[in-house]
Amino acid sequence: MIAARVERVGIPEAVLAGAGPQACVKAKPKCNLVSRESQAQDTVVRVGTVQIGGPRFTVIAGPCSVESAEQMVATATAVKTAGAVLLRGGAYKPRTSPYSFQGMGEEGLKLLALAREVTGLPVVTEVMDSGDIPLVEQYADMIQVGARNVQNFSLLKKLGRVNKPVLLKRGLMTTLEELLMSAEYILAAGNPQVVLCERGIRTFETATRNTLDLSAVCVLKERTHLPVIVDPSHAVGHRRYVAPMARGAMAVGADGVMVEVHCSPETALCDGEQSLTPAEFTAMMGELAVMGRSLHREI
Ligand code: PEP
Ligand code: MN
């Protein structure tokens, strides 16, 4: 009776032959692929012609969500003029409420491609569902895994088989060890192009949206060869704190920052409160350039 049921559910030969669950265990490398022991020199991740993890401090900027052609082209042009080298924008948005704007989906991806065509900036955008990877892959130069999906292991494994760099954000409640193991999933599945992003963690403090863990940068740079960037926007949640924390990120040795920018934050469909205006972003870039001169970090 059991044999008949086994046949019906289609259990693989190897399992029936006695290899059992062991057959599903991956051969473990001597040390984790993300670790400094496995590779002493820093990994440089290339996104188009942009390098993340090299001598330059990489600035990624753009709106939280893609909203329209005008919004994307205007924002992309403004951030490029101010010195950003990569454009961000979400077409699939992980929102706390199902009634909030969920993103434009494929239309949004097309608008990102349009903004890239106009400005020449490569684009980074989030994938939330592994079923959307083939579509997102067609449009994005770099694929983002958001904080809420950092331990979606089936998504990570699938991104390990994609030939695009991945921006992996730390979760609200993930330890640095857990973040590194999530990155390990992508590397172990065959994709070595991973950039880590500290974006604030949940603490008892309510004055800011999250608490920016800048010490994470020091710890990660010690433990892994992968590039590490900081997202001060989601960390603090208020635009007036974004530039100081971006300067902090440069001071502690991050490889770059990702910042939200919107031409009219008060009408933004998502995260307007933490979005810089183009003028504020330009001022922030000026401050980073001055700081970068003494730290030998060109932006
Ligand atoms: C984002 O970068 O658009 C985003 C949703 O960030 P996080 O996943 O860090 O909340
Ligand atoms: Mn956002």
Side-chain angles (χ1 to χ4, degrees):
M1 185 166 128
I2 291 179
R5 285 194 179 184
V6 160
E7 202 176 287
R8 197 150 35 82
V9 296
I11 293 177
E13 285 280 309
V15 174
L16 292 179
Q22 288 306 324
C24 305
V25 177
K26 232 183 157 63
K28 196 178 181 310
K30 266 203 223 75
C31 52
N32 288 335
L33 302 171
V34 297
S35 70
R36 278 278 179 206
E37 292 84 74
S38 79
Q39 182 186 310
Q41 80 274 23
D42 288 342
T43 286
V44 177
V45 171
R46 288 178 172 76
V47 189
T49 56
V50 175
Q51 297 190 352
I52 311 179
R56 291 182 89 108
F57 187 77
T58 307
V59 179
I60 307 173
C64 179
S65 351
V66 179
E67 297 171 4
S68 69
E70 296 71 32
Q71 172 238 17
M72 273 322 299
V73 171
T75 315
T77 308
V79 300
K80 183 180 176 167
T81 306
V85 292
L86 271 169
L87 178 65
R88 64 150 286 145
Y92 298 90
K93 296 305 305 175
R95 303 303 299 276
T96 303
S97 164
Y99 306 113
S100 301
F101 176 58
Q102 303 286 305
M104 293 178 75
E106 187 172 3
E107 280 310 300
L109 296 174
K110 288 182 180 163
L111 297 180
L112 282 166
L114 169 74
R116 170 178 53 209
E117 206 178 294
V118 174
T119 58
L121 292 178
V123 301
V124 52
T125 196
E126 177 165 354
V127 70
M128 285 169 58
D129 185 320
S130 56
D132 294 328
I133 293 177
L135 187 65
V136 172
E137 198 186 355
Q138 278 178 45
Y139 294 94
D141 298 292
M142 181 179 218
I143 302 179
Q144 178 173 321
V145 175
R148 287 146 194 89
N149 262 322
V150 64
Q151 290 192 308
N152 181 339
F153 301 119
S154 59
L155 180 68
L156 300 177
K157 284 186 205 171
K158 290 198 175 95
L159 288 170
R161 297 197 284 272
V162 164
N163 187 23
K164 284 276 159 82
V166 175
L167 178 59
L168 178 64
K169 298 188 89 175
R170 183 183 187 181
L172 282 73
M173 301 282 277
T174 35
T175 64
L176 296 176
E177 196 50 37
E178 287 165 341
L179 173 63
L180 288 169
M181 288 315 281
S182 290
E184 186 76 15
Y185 264 91
I186 305 173
L187 269 71
N191 186 352
Q193 314 165 82
V194 176
V195 174
L196 304 173
C197 180
E198 160 61 35
R199 46 78 72 210
I201 51 175
R202 181 163 284 177
T203 68
F204 55 80
E205 184 52 66
T206 55
T208 49
R209 184 175 178 183
N210 292 285
T211 297
L212 182 59
D213 180 9
L214 276 182
S215 55
V217 177
C218 311
V219 175
L220 290 171
K221 294 296 288 180
E222 182 178 80
R223 292 197 193 166
T224 180
H225 51 86
L226 297 174
V228 180
I229 68 164
V230 169
D231 169 353
S233 308
H234 290 89
V236 296
H238 302 283
R239 82 173 60 87
R240 64 189 178 283
Y241 305 140
V242 170
M245 297 318 267
R247 297 199 297 272
M250 181 186 264
V252 297
D255 293 295
V257 284
M258 178 161 79
V259 171
E260 287 185 339
V261 178
H262 199 285
C263 290
S264 74
E266 59 293 345
T267 63
L269 295 178
C270 186
D271 287 348
E273 264 195 47
Q274 67 195 34
S275 299
L276 301 183
T277 61
E280 288 164 338
F281 179 68
T282 305
M284 184 199 88
M285 291 296 279
E287 292 157 7
L288 287 175
V290 171
M291 249 187 98
R293 280 200 277 280
S294 53
L295 295 170
H296 309 289
R297 301 301 304 277
E298 215 180 302
I299 59 168

